[in-house]
């Protein structure tokens, strides 16, 4: 049952907890806090913010979610349903909550949408392959 919980819930929770001010700076300004800064060989400074790091984490989790979609089990439908619910929660929060109207949250919502579409697409291809083998 726990395997069906969408892992993209982690960036969603981290975003909301961070915007509430649990990690120090409250509000949307938390997203601009630098995590690391490196000087490149070209001399330019590259800085990664909390928002950027959150997007990178969400992309890594999206990869895991797509791998989870390739398994053929009875839990796959529940996994897809919960991913769809999470996307709807992302969308509602984006539309109705002021602190969620940021580019970082929009990208996280888009990643959630890709998870839903990719999950259903991969599952349908896997199911079609399983059916065609039996013929």
């Amino acid at each position: 049952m726990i395997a069906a919980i969408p892992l993209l819930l982690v960036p969603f929770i981290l975003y909301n907890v961070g915007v509430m001010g649990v990690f120090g700076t409250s509000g949307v300004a938390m997203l601009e806090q630098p995590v690391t800064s490196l000087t490149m060989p070209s001399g330019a400074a590259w800085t990664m913010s909390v928002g950027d790091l959150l997007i990178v984490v969400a992309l890594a989790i999206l990869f895991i979610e797509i791998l989870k979609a390739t398994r053929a089990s009875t839990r796959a439908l529940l996994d897809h349903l919960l991913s769809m619910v999470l996307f709807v929660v992302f969308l509602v929060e984006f539309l109705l909550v002021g602190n969620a109207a940021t580019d970082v949250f929009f990208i996280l919502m888009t990643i959630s949408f890709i998870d839903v579409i990719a999950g259903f697409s991969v599952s349908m291809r896997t199911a079609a392959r399983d059916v065609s083998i039996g013929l």
Side-chain angles (χ1 to χ4, degrees):
M1 181 70 174
I2 291 177
I5 295 173
L7 297 176
L8 285 172
L9 191 62
V10 172
F12 178 78
I13 291 171
L14 287 175
Y15 181 92
N16 285 306
V17 167
V19 170
M20 288 188 310
V22 173
F23 301 127
T25 309
S26 64
V28 179
M30 176 272 312
L31 299 171
E32 301 301 323
Q33 296 295 320
V35 174
T36 187
S37 182
L38 299 171
T39 303
M40 306 308 271
S42 65
W46 174 72
T47 304
M48 178 178 269
S49 67
V50 172
D52 298 335
L53 181 62
L54 202 54
I55 291 170
V56 170
V57 168
L59 287 170
I61 291 174
L62 176 63
F63 175 72
I64 296 168
E65 284 289 329
I66 291 174
L67 289 179
K68 279 176 40 179
T70 60
R71 69 176 193 269
S73 70
T74 56
R75 279 185 252 135
L77 183 61
L78 180 61
D79 186 24
H80 299 319
L81 179 67
L82 291 176
S83 292
M84 177 65 85
V85 168
L86 180 62
F87 170 69
V88 169
V89 170
F90 262 110
L91 183 61
V92 168
E93 185 171 341
F94 180 71
L95 295 174
L96 301 178
V97 178
N99 282 337
T102 64
D103 53 344
V104 172
F105 194 83
F106 178 77
I107 293 170
L108 293 175
M109 181 181 67
T110 304
I111 290 170
S112 176
F113 178 70
I114 291 170
D115 175 37
V116 170
I117 299 301
F120 282 122
S121 300
V122 168
S123 292
M124 284 190 292
R125 294 284 289 180
T126 303
R129 195 173 335 128
D130 288 347
V131 170
S132 66
I133 291 173
L135 295 176

